[in-house]
Every structure is written in structure tokens, then in C-alpha cells.
mmCIF file of all heavy atoms in Angstrom:
data_model
loop_
_atom_site.group_PDB
_atom_site.id
_atom_site.type_symbol
_atom_site.label_atom_id
_atom_site.label_comp_id
_atom_site.label_asym_id
_atom_site.label_seq_id
_atom_site.Cartn_x
_atom_site.Cartn_y
_atom_site.Cartn_z
ATOM 1 N N ARG A 1 47.184 40.737 -113.367
ATOM 2 C CA ARG A 1 48.207 40.673 -112.332
ATOM 3 C C ARG A 1 48.050 39.281 -111.592
ATOM 4 O O ARG A 1 48.986 38.573 -111.360
ATOM 5 C CB ARG A 1 48.037 41.808 -111.335
ATOM 6 C CG ARG A 1 49.060 41.685 -110.121
ATOM 7 C CD ARG A 1 48.840 42.791 -109.263
ATOM 8 N NE ARG A 1 49.349 44.098 -109.789
ATOM 9 C CZ ARG A 1 48.558 45.101 -110.140
ATOM 10 N NH1 ARG A 1 47.283 45.079 -109.794
ATOM 11 N NH2 ARG A 1 49.100 46.200 -110.705
ATOM 12 N N ASP A 2 46.783 38.947 -111.148
ATOM 13 C CA ASP A 2 46.538 37.641 -110.408
ATOM 14 C C ASP A 2 46.720 36.541 -111.345
ATOM 15 O O ASP A 2 47.204 35.399 -110.905
ATOM 16 C CB ASP A 2 45.032 37.705 -109.904
ATOM 17 C CG ASP A 2 44.879 38.763 -108.841
ATOM 18 O OD1 ASP A 2 45.828 39.417 -108.311
ATOM 19 O OD2 ASP A 2 43.600 39.105 -108.535
ATOM 20 N N GLY A 3 46.415 36.582 -112.596
ATOM 21 C CA GLY A 3 46.621 35.479 -113.532
ATOM 22 C C GLY A 3 47.992 35.076 -113.726
ATOM 23 O O GLY A 3 48.332 33.962 -113.736
ATOM 24 N N PHE A 4 48.847 36.158 -113.881
ATOM 25 C CA PHE A 4 50.333 35.783 -113.928
ATOM 26 C C PHE A 4 50.819 35.307 -112.607
ATOM 27 O O PHE A 4 51.683 34.473 -112.426
ATOM 28 C CB PHE A 4 51.136 37.008 -114.368
ATOM 29 C CG PHE A 4 51.058 37.106 -115.889
ATOM 30 C CD1 PHE A 4 50.319 38.040 -116.504
ATOM 31 C CD2 PHE A 4 51.861 36.282 -116.658
ATOM 32 C CE1 PHE A 4 50.355 38.131 -117.808
ATOM 33 C CE2 PHE A 4 51.801 36.396 -118.109
ATOM 34 C CZ PHE A 4 51.076 37.369 -118.636
ATOM 35 N N ALA A 5 50.312 35.859 -111.428
ATOM 36 C CA ALA A 5 50.817 35.524 -110.135
ATOM 37 C C ALA A 5 50.507 34.025 -109.833
ATOM 38 O O ALA A 5 51.291 33.304 -109.099
ATOM 39 C CB ALA A 5 50.053 36.384 -108.977
ATOM 40 N N ARG A 6 49.473 33.416 -110.340
ATOM 41 C CA ARG A 6 49.164 32.057 -110.246
ATOM 42 C C ARG A 6 50.292 31.217 -110.930
ATOM 43 O O ARG A 6 50.465 30.042 -110.400
ATOM 44 C CB ARG A 6 47.847 31.699 -110.906
ATOM 45 C CG ARG A 6 46.641 32.472 -110.327
ATOM 46 C CD ARG A 6 45.401 32.445 -111.222
ATOM 47 N NE ARG A 6 44.901 31.063 -111.315
ATOM 48 C CZ ARG A 6 44.613 30.442 -112.478
ATOM 49 N NH1 ARG A 6 44.971 31.019 -113.646
ATOM 50 N NH2 ARG A 6 44.193 29.198 -112.389
ATOM 51 N N HIS A 7 51.143 31.748 -111.757
ATOM 52 C CA HIS A 7 52.242 31.037 -112.227
ATOM 53 C C HIS A 7 53.535 31.617 -111.714
ATOM 54 O O HIS A 7 54.610 31.355 -112.405
ATOM 55 C CB HIS A 7 52.192 31.248 -113.808
ATOM 56 C CG HIS A 7 51.080 30.697 -114.396
ATOM 57 N ND1 HIS A 7 50.941 29.306 -114.723
ATOM 58 C CD2 HIS A 7 49.932 31.208 -114.885
ATOM 59 C CE1 HIS A 7 49.737 29.071 -115.225
ATOM 60 N NE2 HIS A 7 49.131 30.181 -115.297
ATOM 61 N N ASN A 8 53.509 32.276 -110.638
ATOM 62 C CA ASN A 8 54.722 32.873 -109.848
ATOM 63 C C ASN A 8 55.409 33.925 -110.898
ATOM 64 O O ASN A 8 56.694 33.953 -110.934
ATOM 65 C CB ASN A 8 55.606 31.785 -109.432
ATOM 66 C CG ASN A 8 55.057 30.827 -108.334
ATOM 67 O OD1 ASN A 8 54.378 31.356 -107.504
ATOM 68 N ND2 ASN A 8 55.075 29.585 -108.604
ATOM 69 N N ILE A 9 54.717 34.631 -111.638
ATOM 70 C CA ILE A 9 55.221 35.586 -112.453
ATOM 71 C C ILE A 9 54.617 36.972 -111.977
ATOM 72 O O ILE A 9 53.468 37.148 -111.836
ATOM 73 C CB ILE A 9 54.842 35.412 -113.953
ATOM 74 C CG1 ILE A 9 55.369 34.086 -114.468
ATOM 75 C CG2 ILE A 9 55.434 36.568 -114.800
ATOM 76 C CD1 ILE A 9 54.897 33.660 -115.807
ATOM 77 N N LYS A 10 55.468 38.006 -111.785
ATOM 78 C CA LYS A 10 55.028 39.282 -111.294
ATOM 79 C C LYS A 10 54.827 40.186 -112.501
ATOM 80 O O LYS A 10 55.626 40.269 -113.475
ATOM 81 C CB LYS A 10 56.141 39.827 -110.408
ATOM 82 C CG LYS A 10 55.688 41.050 -109.784
ATOM 83 C CD LYS A 10 56.544 41.501 -108.555
ATOM 84 C CE LYS A 10 56.101 42.832 -108.107
ATOM 85 N NZ LYS A 10 55.789 42.831 -106.745
ATOM 86 N N ALA A 11 53.643 40.860 -112.474
ATOM 87 C CA ALA A 11 53.185 41.785 -113.594
ATOM 88 C C ALA A 11 53.493 43.151 -113.060
ATOM 89 O O ALA A 11 53.016 43.602 -111.936
ATOM 90 C CB ALA A 11 51.814 41.625 -113.913
ATOM 91 N N HIS A 12 54.118 43.966 -113.781
ATOM 92 C CA HIS A 12 54.455 45.353 -113.644
ATOM 93 C C HIS A 12 53.748 46.172 -114.667
ATOM 94 O O HIS A 12 53.910 45.880 -115.773
ATOM 95 C CB HIS A 12 55.958 45.601 -113.589
ATOM 96 C CG HIS A 12 56.806 44.821 -112.775
ATOM 97 N ND1 HIS A 12 56.916 45.043 -111.449
ATOM 98 C CD2 HIS A 12 57.506 43.753 -113.078
ATOM 99 C CE1 HIS A 12 57.682 44.098 -110.962
ATOM 100 N NE2 HIS A 12 58.041 43.250 -111.838
ATOM 101 N N PHE A 13 52.945 47.118 -114.200
ATOM 102 C CA PHE A 13 52.278 48.027 -115.153
ATOM 103 C C PHE A 13 52.852 49.298 -115.490
ATOM 104 O O PHE A 13 53.492 49.902 -114.614
ATOM 105 C CB PHE A 13 50.811 48.153 -114.733
ATOM 106 C CG PHE A 13 49.920 46.900 -114.659
ATOM 107 C CD1 PHE A 13 50.049 46.110 -113.730
ATOM 108 C CD2 PHE A 13 49.088 46.701 -115.775
ATOM 109 C CE1 PHE A 13 49.262 44.833 -113.754
ATOM 110 C CE2 PHE A 13 48.433 45.512 -115.893
ATOM 111 C CZ PHE A 13 48.466 44.516 -114.906
ATOM 112 N N TYR A 14 52.851 49.654 -116.764
ATOM 113 C CA TYR A 14 53.483 51.066 -117.177
ATOM 114 C C TYR A 14 52.568 51.642 -118.204
ATOM 115 O O TYR A 14 51.844 50.898 -118.907
ATOM 116 C CB TYR A 14 54.913 50.850 -117.707
ATOM 117 C CG TYR A 14 55.027 50.132 -118.914
ATOM 118 C CD1 TYR A 14 55.198 50.937 -120.142
ATOM 119 C CD2 TYR A 14 54.958 48.714 -119.064
ATOM 120 C CE1 TYR A 14 55.259 50.329 -121.407
ATOM 121 C CE2 TYR A 14 55.024 48.164 -120.356
ATOM 122 C CZ TYR A 14 55.269 48.911 -121.376
ATOM 123 O OH TYR A 14 55.273 48.321 -122.625
ATOM 124 N N LYS A 15 52.726 52.973 -118.343
ATOM 125 C CA LYS A 15 51.849 53.619 -119.303
ATOM 126 C C LYS A 15 52.612 54.044 -120.576
ATOM 127 O O LYS A 15 52.108 53.806 -121.669
ATOM 128 C CB LYS A 15 51.278 54.958 -118.711
ATOM 129 C CG LYS A 15 50.209 54.565 -117.766
ATOM 130 C CD LYS A 15 49.559 55.859 -117.283
ATOM 131 C CE LYS A 15 48.442 55.532 -116.293
ATOM 132 N NZ LYS A 15 47.601 56.689 -116.032
ATOM 133 N N ASP A 16 53.746 54.721 -120.592
ATOM 134 C CA ASP A 16 54.263 55.326 -121.679
ATOM 135 C C ASP A 16 55.429 54.393 -122.278
ATOM 136 O O ASP A 16 55.065 53.650 -123.230
ATOM 137 C CB ASP A 16 54.767 56.648 -121.428
ATOM 138 C CG ASP A 16 53.615 57.655 -120.923
ATOM 139 O OD1 ASP A 16 52.550 57.544 -121.620
ATOM 140 O OD2 ASP A 16 53.868 58.398 -120.036
ATOM 141 N N SER A 17 56.588 54.608 -121.935
ATOM 142 C CA SER A 17 57.692 53.872 -122.460
ATOM 143 C C SER A 17 58.157 52.658 -121.532
ATOM 144 O O SER A 17 57.970 52.592 -120.374
ATOM 145 C CB SER A 17 58.919 54.759 -122.785
ATOM 146 O OG SER A 17 59.358 55.308 -121.479
ATOM 147 N N LEU A 18 58.539 51.724 -122.311
ATOM 148 C CA LEU A 18 58.872 50.344 -121.583
ATOM 149 C C LEU A 18 60.028 50.567 -120.558
ATOM 150 O O LEU A 18 61.110 51.188 -121.037
ATOM 151 C CB LEU A 18 59.298 49.319 -122.675
ATOM 152 C CG LEU A 18 59.725 47.929 -122.028
ATOM 153 C CD1 LEU A 18 58.408 47.236 -121.623
ATOM 154 C CD2 LEU A 18 60.243 47.123 -123.234
ATOM 155 N N PRO A 19 59.865 50.329 -119.418
ATOM 156 C CA PRO A 19 60.950 50.443 -118.409
ATOM 157 C C PRO A 19 62.264 49.670 -118.647
ATOM 158 O O PRO A 19 62.064 48.600 -119.300
ATOM 159 C CB PRO A 19 60.402 49.979 -117.098
ATOM 160 C CG PRO A 19 58.887 50.087 -117.223
ATOM 161 C CD PRO A 19 58.653 49.934 -118.751
ATOM 162 N N GLU A 20 63.387 50.132 -118.436
ATOM 163 C CA GLU A 20 64.640 49.513 -118.851
ATOM 164 C C GLU A 20 64.792 48.082 -118.290
ATOM 165 O O GLU A 20 65.360 47.191 -118.824
ATOM 166 C CB GLU A 20 65.863 50.352 -118.377
ATOM 167 C CG GLU A 20 65.975 51.551 -119.289
ATOM 168 C CD GLU A 20 67.290 52.279 -118.934
ATOM 169 O OE1 GLU A 20 68.220 51.681 -118.475
ATOM 170 O OE2 GLU A 20 67.297 53.458 -119.248
ATOM 171 N N MET A 21 64.162 47.856 -116.946
ATOM 172 C CA MET A 21 64.380 46.552 -116.375
ATOM 173 C C MET A 21 63.477 45.508 -116.983
ATOM 174 O O MET A 21 63.614 44.301 -116.641
ATOM 175 C CB MET A 21 63.980 46.746 -114.938
ATOM 176 C CG MET A 21 62.549 47.145 -114.649
ATOM 177 S SD MET A 21 61.659 45.820 -114.364
ATOM 178 C CE MET A 21 60.196 46.369 -113.525
ATOM 179 N N CYS A 22 62.675 45.777 -118.051
ATOM 180 C CA CYS A 22 61.735 44.857 -118.457
ATOM 181 C C CYS A 22 62.355 43.945 -119.677
ATOM 182 O O CYS A 22 62.998 44.455 -120.654
ATOM 183 C CB CYS A 22 60.555 45.506 -119.144
ATOM 184 S SG CYS A 22 59.548 46.334 -117.813
ATOM 185 N N ASP A 23 62.327 42.722 -119.485
ATOM 186 C CA ASP A 23 62.725 41.735 -120.514
ATOM 187 C C ASP A 23 61.633 41.342 -121.432
ATOM 188 O O ASP A 23 61.810 40.851 -122.596
ATOM 189 C CB ASP A 23 63.345 40.507 -119.891
ATOM 190 C CG ASP A 23 64.815 40.861 -119.141
ATOM 191 O OD1 ASP A 23 65.516 41.686 -119.771
ATOM 192 O OD2 ASP A 23 65.061 40.171 -118.306
ATOM 193 N N THR A 24 60.391 41.296 -120.854
ATOM 194 C CA THR A 24 59.222 40.908 -121.756
ATOM 195 C C THR A 24 58.238 42.060 -121.454
ATOM 196 O O THR A 24 58.034 42.602 -120.411
ATOM 197 C CB THR A 24 58.688 39.573 -121.204
ATOM 198 O OG1 THR A 24 58.440 39.613 -119.836
ATOM 199 C CG2 THR A 24 59.594 38.478 -121.560
ATOM 200 N N LYS A 25 57.378 42.130 -122.540
ATOM 201 C CA LYS A 25 56.360 43.192 -122.581
ATOM 202 C C LYS A 25 55.021 42.500 -122.996
ATOM 203 O O LYS A 25 55.005 41.737 -123.907
ATOM 204 C CB LYS A 25 56.633 44.296 -123.562
ATOM 205 C CG LYS A 25 55.511 45.293 -123.846
ATOM 206 C CD LYS A 25 55.955 46.381 -124.797
ATOM 207 C CE LYS A 25 55.228 46.251 -126.031
ATOM 208 N NZ LYS A 25 55.424 47.357 -126.934
ATOM 209 N N LEU A 26 53.925 42.858 -122.271
ATOM 210 C CA LEU A 26 52.609 42.226 -122.632
ATOM 211 C C LEU A 26 51.696 43.493 -123.061
ATOM 212 O O LEU A 26 51.643 44.460 -122.259
ATOM 213 C CB LEU A 26 51.980 41.504 -121.450
ATOM 214 C CG LEU A 26 50.570 40.977 -121.787
ATOM 215 C CD1 LEU A 26 50.729 39.676 -122.434
ATOM 216 C CD2 LEU A 26 49.745 40.826 -120.511
#
């Protein structure tokens, strides 16, 4: 989370299925 925040990118965590609002998945 902090590593992406350093680049002004917000990290959202999820467990099961990819939320619809996600354009990229890590």
C-alpha cells in the first residue's frame, strides 16, 4: 500500500473476486 502510495497510486485489497471498479489487478 505504501509503496504504491509513493507514486500516488491507491491500492485496494480484496480476497475473492475482482471488484468491478478495478481496471488493474496485482
Side-chain angles (χ1 to χ4, degrees):
R1 180 179 290 114
D2 295 345
F4 278 106
R6 295 167 69 235
H7 297 280
N8 299 315
I9 299 169
K10 186 164 177 129
H12 307 278
F13 290 83
Y14 70 96
K15 286 190 178 189
D16 298 319
S17 59
L18 183 66
E20 287 184 27
M21 61 96 162
C22 296
D23 289 330
T24 55
K25 171 179 111 171
L26 181 83

